[in-house]
Amino acid sequence: MSEFLIESHRDALQEIIQLLCHGESATDLIAKFSSDCDSVSQDDLALVFKQLDAEGIDFRESKPVIDFFHHVVEEKIAADQLKQFPAGHPLRVYMEENILLRSWIKQIWQFNPLEDLDNFKLYFNKICKVELHYQRKENQLFPCLEKHGWDSPSKNMWAFHDDNRALIKTVRQALDAGNAQSAEQSAANLFNELERMMQVEEQRLLPGALELLDEEDWLDMRTGDEEIGWMLEQTPPPFPVLVEEEAAPAPEPEVVKPTVNHDAQENSGDYVHPSQVKPKKKLPFDTAGMFHFDEGYMTPEQVNLIFTTLPLDITYVDENDKVLFYNRGQERLFPRSAGIIGRAVHLCHPPKSVDTVLRIVEEFKKGTRDVADFRINVKGRFVMIRYFAVRDKQRNYRGVVEMSQDITDIQTLEGEQRLLDWN
């Protein structure tokens, strides 16, 4: 944008504020400013404010000016902030989503739910995509901040996410019941809280993240972000820009095969676990690249394929309370992304459930319990969540496995089915 246009937009902004403060109409000027001006920098804004103060115009408490800033100028300021980040950068994407969310909130009020409930529902469903925004913060951004010693977002902001989720649920229940008046009232409260959260992000969370995180953090974050998804209608450009390179061949995994002294084994009379027994006859397949488990051999790829195929969400936390593994099933019940690997387990759950998780882990460590079961409703499905203590042969605590499964259809089963029924 040329210097002339920048000055022109500053002049237009100043004139609009002057007219509004004097109680005059600025409708045409606002419309032109909104369409012609792509962005407004904080420096431009400071120059306009300085000139208005010099003229003795009291604009800061003017309701028309406040409304103008809320509906027009804030979006221009956000657009200017985007320029400092390359396309696809996770922080830029968060800001782009806030711009999009604000536009949806403006558009939804064009439809009175008492008169046009269908269009109101249409935009409300768009606004509900904020769930993806929150999930990426909880599973991607927050873990990165924790690694740099900033864990207050995990402990505090997550609770506000849950509050907004509860408000979304209230609006949806009113819409499903056809109670347009209640939906309208609840939606107004929800949208105020969504705006409050966006302001906290833009004024504190994202600037703090920019100061703390390095380039490697942002690159890792982008990889995990893809697993959760975005609010945006189109997938953000790759970050960084992909450069095609010839892939180097993957190294063969190192396989350590156990060696057993069979003579000593036969003479000792001690029990030997099957995993420690080397088969005397030759196996009818090549075990190169495979790992020897208690029973049988598999490659890392085969193990991964099995975990991917199982209709379960599985997460493993080690004895030091660090998340080491989760499976990537076809349809996960609960969001997971690469950002949780290495994360403390108490920071991986909403604040309202942390005490329960900590109690389970404590009892598992003491050896007083081995299993904890829960059953909850999730998006109209009945889900069973089970926690199992992982112990070695000496019964030492080695961590916990969390398994979640949709059992809605299983609950309806009756009788036996011994024949294949694919028809």
Side-chain angles (χ1 to χ4, degrees):
M1 186 183 295
S2 69
E3 181 65 25
F4 173 77
L5 287 178
I6 292 175
E7 290 182 2
S8 174
H9 291 153
R10 284 203 298 259
D11 292 342
L13 183 59
Q14 183 173 327
E15 185 178 356
I16 291 170
I17 295 174
Q18 288 171 332
L19 290 172
L20 293 175
C21 287
H22 292 144
E24 300 179 34
S25 174
T27 303
D28 292 341
L29 271 177
I30 291 174
K32 182 173 176 55
F33 175 83
S34 183
S35 62
D36 292 352
C37 179
D38 294 328
S39 62
V40 173
S41 71
Q42 292 288 355
D43 290 340
D44 292 335
L45 209 55
L47 288 173
V48 172
F49 289 173
K50 183 177 180 180
Q51 184 61 35
L52 291 170
D53 286 334
E55 296 175 8
I57 297 177
D58 184 12
F59 60 91
R60 290 179 174 81
E61 301 298 327
S62 167
K63 188 177 185 308
V65 173
I66 293 173
D67 291 342
F68 167 57
F69 266 74
H70 177 65
H71 293 293
V72 179
V73 180
E74 285 178 356
E75 184 176 323
K76 307 298 183 184
I77 295 172
D80 180 75
Q81 293 173 336
L82 293 180
K83 296 177 182 179
Q84 60 183 305
F85 306 106
H89 190 290
L91 197 147
R92 176 180 176 130
V93 173
Y94 279 119
M95 296 172 67
E96 288 174 335
E97 287 183 335
N98 281 355
I99 292 173
L100 182 61
L101 182 58
R102 286 188 174 106
S103 72
W104 285 339
I105 292 173
K106 290 177 185 176
Q107 291 175 70
I108 197 173
W109 289 126
Q110 297 176 10
F111 308 103
N112 186 335
L114 297 171
E115 301 172 358
D116 193 347
L117 190 59
D118 288 341
N119 274 315
F120 191 89
K121 283 183 177 180
L122 176 67
Y123 277 92
F124 176 72
N125 288 334
K126 290 177 181 285
I127 291 168
C128 288
K129 292 181 180 179
V130 73
E131 175 64 20
L132 294 173
H133 187 91
Y134 289 170
Q135 286 180 9
R136 291 203 324 280
K137 287 168 63 181
E138 294 162 355
N139 293 280
Q140 289 291 110
L141 180 58
F142 290 175
C144 282
L145 297 177
E146 291 159 14
K147 293 174 185 176
H148 292 268
W150 190 19
D151 62 3
S152 62
S154 309
K155 295 178 178 178
N156 301 317
M157 190 173 286
W158 197 328
F160 290 111
H161 290 177
D162 286 344
D163 290 343
N164 287 350
R165 287 173 173 130
L167 292 173
I168 288 173
K169 184 177 180 180
T170 299
V171 177
R172 186 172 295 284
Q173 289 173 338
L175 290 174
D176 290 345
N179 191 337
Q181 185 173 2
S182 176
E184 183 178 30
Q185 294 172 349
S186 300
N189 186 24
L190 166 65
F191 300 157
N192 286 336
E193 293 306 314
L194 291 177
E195 175 59 36
R196 190 193 309 273
M197 176 60 67
M198 286 187 281
Q199 290 182 13
V200 173
E201 288 178 3
E202 293 163 355
Q203 296 172 15
R204 175 160 170 73
L205 178 68
L206 299 181
L210 182 62
E211 184 176 341
L212 277 178
L213 305 185
D214 56 31
E215 191 72 7
E216 185 177 352
D217 291 322
W218 294 116
L219 294 176
D220 291 343
M221 194 184 306
R222 172 54 193 261
T223 302
D225 284 354
E226 293 179 12
E227 193 168 349
I228 295 174
W230 299 274
M231 291 173 59
L232 304 177
E233 295 173 345
Q234 293 184 339
T235 300
F239 174 77
V241 177
L242 297 177
V243 178
E244 292 188 4
E245 295 181 357
E246 185 175 349
E252 288 288 335
E254 181 181 354
V255 180
V256 179
K257 295 186 178 181
T259 58
V260 179
N261 185 330
H262 292 285
D263 294 334
Q265 175 185 315
E266 292 173 358
N267 295 331
S268 68
D270 294 336
Y271 169 76
V272 178
H273 193 275
S275 65
Q276 299 298 313
V277 178
K278 185 176 181 180
K280 294 183 178 180
K281 69 176 183 178
K282 185 177 180 179
L283 293 171
F285 55 86
D286 183 10
T287 60
M290 290 184 168
F291 290 94
H292 185 198
F293 295 91
D294 277 6
E295 293 298 336
Y297 299 79
M298 287 191 293
T299 66
E301 180 188 20
Q302 290 168 335
V303 173
N304 195 54
L305 288 171
I306 290 173
F307 276 120
T308 302
T309 303
L310 288 173
L312 306 165
D313 285 7
I314 301 175
T315 304
Y316 172 61
V317 178
D318 73 0
E319 61 268 34
N320 299 311
D321 301 339
K322 300 293 185 183
V323 179
L324 296 192
F325 168 85
Y326 70 93
N327 68 324
R328 293 181 174 178
Q330 298 298 321
E331 295 184 7
R332 289 198 60 89
L333 295 167
F334 303 104
R336 292 284 188 273
S337 66
I340 71 166
I341 300 301
R343 193 180 191 189
V345 66
H346 73 277
L347 295 173
C348 296
H349 293 78
K352 62 184 179 183
S353 63
V354 167
D355 288 344
T356 301
V357 172
L358 293 179
R359 183 185 175 193
I360 292 171
V361 172
E362 181 182 357
E363 296 299 326
F364 282 2
K365 286 182 176 180
K366 291 192 297 187
T368 57
R369 301 281 183 175
D370 285 310
V371 182
D373 291 342
F374 300 90
R375 293 178 296 279
I376 61 174
N377 289 296
V378 179
K379 299 178 181 178
R381 307 295 292 179
F382 196 54
V383 175
M384 173 170 260
I385 305 172
R386 310 194 75 190
Y387 295 87
F388 298 92
V390 178
R391 305 191 189 281
D392 60 22
K393 296 174 187 177
Q394 288 74 40
R395 297 288 297 166
N396 297 314
Y397 176 76
R398 299 301 298 273
V400 56
V401 169
E402 177 191 33
M403 299 173 59
S404 303
Q405 183 176 14
D406 183 342
I407 61 171
T408 307
D409 298 330
I410 296 175
Q411 280 192 305
T412 65
L413 298 179
E414 294 181 356
E416 295 184 346
Q417 180 177 321
R418 293 175 175 266
L419 302 177
L420 182 65
D421 182 14
W422 283 0
N423 297 324

